[in-house]
Amino acid sequence: MYIERICIVGLGLIGGSFGLALRLAQRTAIPRFPLHITVVETDPKTRKLASRVADIVTADFAAGVQQADLVVLATPVRTIIRLLEILPQARPAGCMVLDLGSSKAEICATMEMLPPQFAAIGGHPMCGREVAGFGAATPDLFLNSTFILCPTNRTSDRLQKIALQLVDHLRAAPLHLQATLHDDMVAVVSHLPYLISATLMQNAADMAEDRLWPISSTGFQDTSRVSGTDPLMMLDILLTNKQAVLQQIAAYQERLTAVSHLIRDKNENALFQWLQSTQEEYFAYQAAKSTPQQ
Amino acid sequence: MYIERICIVGLGLIGGSFGLALRLAQRTAIPRFPLHITVVETDPKTRKLASRVADIVTADFAAGVQQADLVVLATPVRTIIRLLEILPQARPAGCMVLDLGSSKAEICATMEMLPPQFAAIGGHPMCGREVAGFGAATPDLFLNSTFILCPTNRTSDRLQKIALQLVDHLRAAPLHLQATLHDDMVAVVSHLPYLISATLMQNAADMAEDRLWPISSTGFQDTSRVSGTDPLMMLDILLTNKQAVLQQIAAYQERLTAVSHLIRDKNENALFQWLQSTQEEYFAYQAAKSTPQQ
């Protein structure tokens, strides 16, 4: 590895899996590479479990980042922004920073206000589960997934190289995107899917009928799965990607209204075309997903 | 078995799986029971494959139902209704009828207009896949799923008993529901989930961006899965369960608008409560699903 001392801030599903994946890479790489991980974690219970990942565990951000070559911020998005704001006081000498937050424009804008002794790059691993916390962390969470990197005007060539090496250790595929384009795209494939799944769950839970769950099938199960996502994480995502999310909801509502009118009017031909084109788009998506990416 | 001669009309995913499951039950039951299956199928290619299920294969409905003790209608819903309407001419002596359609009120109303020499009951196996056709049929499709039975004023005690025995052979769990309640409930857990998943797929497919699918993750994959459902089947479902579906879309849109306002207004407390209650409802649903049913 180009660097040795990493500080992971936030040992949840993503930060924990990141640490476990690096430990796995360290054990299996030839030649082996030195790796020293400090974990900053505010939850006492999680701190007790951190030894699978950490050489040093602390609750104190300033102490944790003190000797790190690279600080990896893996908390909810608005905490990442607050930590970026206090980082110059906590570590006046500067260091490198990568974050793993799910929205990128506000984070990257904050990174660009760091003093010149800092190098920073935005990161977003496109994987996740409807379970949260270090207990759900697994070293293969990133395997074969896309890891988005959002360079900023604080991204040095060295940090760029290190970020690509880390993504390689996670066995993910890197993809460079501009932060605002990233946010528009994840609004479409991640934040809107969460909201429509959550609204579906709220809608079904409102029907007071004991026999509703026994008759629900795999269709409901899959469509509602991401409604179980960690609310603290989602809160920050929705508030920091507000414009793109609202735009997607509005476009979505228009489409849903349009198809409801086809049903209302029993417009059989147009409704069938809508259903058929949907299935075609689903098949095209499946085909694209099964084609290996660069 | 209480009956020997069954005619399955429509050898798609559901009708084909129904036939394969009965054949499996026949092979494994002690003592073995006699079973004669006639398949009515209009597609020549499927007819060629039907010997895994059928003793006799025909394209002609009237010929197929001629000697059946029980006719099982497994076509799209509006075809089921049309077949029920011509059944008295096709089989003047009468017989028993079960259907496997996904909406029930219109079908059961049509069953109730059959002459008295017919006995009829509505059925809806709560299982499915986003693939259609006999090629996707499997004898374990119904395993551990709920099989809804909707009695009509044409349901005899004998047919009731036979229907329960068939559900047992499918290794599914029977649940009796009144047809209109069934339709309200499946609008919530099946038809609305399809529509929101399909609208999501249409919305994402509209973004002309090559990198959209590589960054989509398991969340999008699961939420969009049922958008691949057979359009011909969905057309009939949506048109025959119009009122309940429109009512659910309206309720859903109100909820989605409400949460979009929480995001727009950055109403952090109320938004967090909404996200948290959603996760709680998801956990409650998961717990209910994993509790064995009666």
Side-chain angles (χ1 to χ4, degrees):
Chain A
M1 287 256 284
Y2 301 124
I3 51 158
E4 187 179 330
R5 304 182 74 84
I6 294 182
C7 174
I8 299 173
V9 184
L11 203 67
L13 172 67
I14 301 293
S17 297
F18 186 90
L20 290 170
L22 287 192
R23 287 294 183 204
L24 179 64
Q26 187 195 17
R27 281 198 302 278
T28 54
I30 299 169
R32 290 183 57 142
F33 55 82
L35 178 63
H36 184 279
I37 298 182
T38 300
V39 162
V40 178
E41 172 56 54
T42 53
D43 177 52
K45 281 184 199 155
T46 305
R47 279 204 302 276
K48 282 187 189 155
L49 305 169
S51 61
R52 286 169 68 203
V53 165
D55 298 290
I56 297 176
V57 189
T58 175
D60 180 8
F61 177 68
V65 300
Q66 219 42 247
Q67 303 202 308
D69 302 319
L70 174 73
V71 173
V72 178
L73 300 173
T75 63
V77 172
R78 290 187 301 168
T79 305
I80 291 174
I81 291 169
R82 280 194 294 273
L83 294 173
L84 285 168
E85 286 165 352
I86 62 169
L87 185 60
Q89 295 100 299
R91 180 72 191 266
C95 63
M96 290 181 288
V97 187
L98 165 70
D99 87 286
L100 306 177
S102 302
S103 70
K104 296 265 66 79
E106 290 198 18
I107 287 173
C108 288
T110 311
M111 284 177 167
E112 299 194 338
M113 303 203 298
L114 286 167
Q117 65 271 32
F118 289 90
I121 189 165
H124 184 197
M126 297 312 296
C127 51
R129 302 175 59 191
E130 75 285 14
V131 286
F134 185 53
T138 161
D140 59 6
L141 187 68
F142 311 99
L143 189 68
N144 298 328
S145 66
T146 301
F147 194 112
I148 296 169
L149 290 170
C150 299
T152 69
N153 66 21
R154 277 275 162 280
T155 305
S156 62
D157 289 351
R158 179 156 181 255
L159 176 53
Q160 177 73 259
K161 266 169 111 172
I162 288 168
L164 287 172
Q165 193 185 39
L166 286 167
V167 171
D168 189 52
H169 283 319
L170 303 178
R171 304 181 66 186
L175 177 68
H176 288 88
L177 283 180
Q178 205 261 328
T180 54
L181 176 60
H182 164 277
D183 282 8
D184 286 345
M185 289 169 74
V186 292
V188 175
V189 293
S190 176
H191 308 166
L192 180 67
Y194 166 77
L195 281 169
I196 68 156
S197 179
T199 304
L200 180 72
M201 179 51 77
Q202 291 268 1
N203 191 67
D206 195 45
M207 192 184 202
E209 168 57 77
D210 290 346
R211 294 164 295 187
L212 194 63
W213 296 148
I215 73 159
S216 72
S217 181
T218 50
F220 185 84
Q221 191 174 304
D222 286 2
T223 316
S224 68
R225 185 182 62 84
V226 293
S227 74
T229 304
D230 181 28
L232 267 175
M233 186 182 83
M234 279 315 307
L235 180 69
D236 278 25
I237 290 173
L238 297 174
L239 293 179
T240 58
N241 198 19
K242 195 178 102 161
Q243 289 312 327
V245 166
L246 290 175
Q247 203 179 318
Q248 288 306 318
I249 294 174
Y252 185 87
Q253 290 274 37
E254 258 184 52
R255 283 176 198 279
L256 192 52
T257 299
V259 71
S260 80
H261 288 171
L262 298 182
I263 298 169
R264 182 196 64 192
D265 303 340
K266 294 212 172 211
N267 189 337
E268 181 161 345
N269 288 340
L271 181 58
F272 181 69
Q273 272 170 26
W274 191 90
L275 299 169
Q276 197 170 36
S277 73
T278 301
Q279 192 190 39
E280 281 162 11
E281 281 151 7
Y282 174 78
F283 288 152
Y285 154 71
Q286 286 295 308
K289 283 297 280 183
S290 61
T291 308
Q293 299 304 321
Q294 289 288 346
Chain B
M1 288 258 285
Y2 301 122
I3 50 160
E4 186 178 331
R5 304 183 73 86
I6 294 182
C7 172
I8 299 173
V9 184
L11 204 67
L13 172 67
I14 301 293
S17 297
F18 186 90
L20 290 171
L22 287 192
R23 287 294 182 204
L24 178 65
Q26 187 195 18
R27 281 196 303 277
T28 54
I30 301 169
R32 289 182 56 143
F33 53 84
L35 177 64
H36 184 280
I37 298 181
T38 301
V39 162
V40 178
E41 170 58 52
T42 52
D43 177 54
K45 281 184 199 156
T46 305
R47 278 205 301 276
K48 281 187 190 156
L49 305 169
S51 61
R52 286 169 66 205
V53 166
D55 298 292
I56 297 176
V57 189
T58 175
D60 179 8
F61 177 69
V65 301
Q66 219 42 248
Q67 303 202 309
D69 303 318
L70 174 72
V71 173
V72 178
L73 300 173
T75 63
V77 172
R78 290 187 302 168
T79 306
I80 291 174
I81 292 168
R82 281 195 294 271
L83 294 172
L84 284 169
E85 286 166 353
I86 62 170
L87 184 60
Q89 294 99 301
R91 181 70 191 268
C95 63
M96 289 181 287
V97 187
L98 164 70
D99 87 287
L100 306 177
S102 303
S103 69
K104 295 264 69 79
E106 290 198 18
I107 287 172
C108 288
T110 311
M111 284 177 167
E112 298 193 339
M113 304 203 297
L114 285 166
Q117 65 270 34
F118 288 90
I121 189 166
H124 183 198
M126 298 311 297
C127 49
R129 301 175 61 191
E130 75 283 14
V131 285
F134 185 54
T138 161
D140 58 5
L141 186 69
F142 311 100
L143 189 66
N144 298 327
S145 66
T146 301
F147 194 111
I148 296 170
L149 291 169
C150 298
T152 70
N153 65 21
R154 276 278 161 278
T155 305
S156 63
D157 289 350
R158 179 160 179 253
L159 176 54
Q160 178 72 260
K161 267 169 109 172
I162 288 168
L164 287 173
Q165 194 185 39
L166 285 168
V167 172
D168 189 53
H169 283 318
L170 303 179
R171 304 181 65 189
L175 177 69
H176 287 88
L177 282 180
Q178 204 261 329
T180 54
L181 177 59
H182 164 277
D183 282 8
D184 286 344
M185 288 169 75
V186 293
V188 174
V189 294
S190 176
H191 308 166
L192 180 66
Y194 166 77
L195 282 170
I196 67 156
S197 179
T199 304
L200 181 72
M201 179 51 77
Q202 291 267 3
N203 191 66
D206 195 44
M207 191 184 203
E209 167 57 76
D210 289 346
R211 294 165 295 186
L212 195 63
W213 295 147
I215 72 159
S216 73
S217 180
T218 51
F220 185 84
Q221 191 175 304
D222 284 4
T223 316
S224 68
R225 185 182 63 82
V226 292
S227 73
T229 304
D230 181 29
L232 267 176
M233 185 182 83
M234 278 314 308
L235 180 70
D236 278 25
I237 290 173
L238 296 174
L239 293 178
T240 58
N241 198 18
K242 193 178 103 159
Q243 289 312 326
V245 166
L246 289 175
Q247 203 178 318
Q248 287 307 317
I249 294 175
Y252 183 88
Q253 289 198 299
E254 257 183 54
R255 285 176 198 278
L256 189 54
T257 298
V259 70
S260 80
H261 288 171
L262 299 182
I263 298 168
R264 182 195 64 192
D265 303 340
K266 295 214 172 210
N267 189 338
E268 181 162 345
N269 289 339
L271 181 57
F272 180 69
Q273 271 171 25
W274 192 90
L275 299 169
Q276 196 171 37
S277 73
T278 301
Q279 192 190 40
E280 280 162 12
E281 281 150 6
Y282 174 77
F283 288 152
Y285 155 70
Q286 285 297 307
K289 284 296 281 183
S290 61
T291 307
Q293 299 303 322
Q294 288 289 347

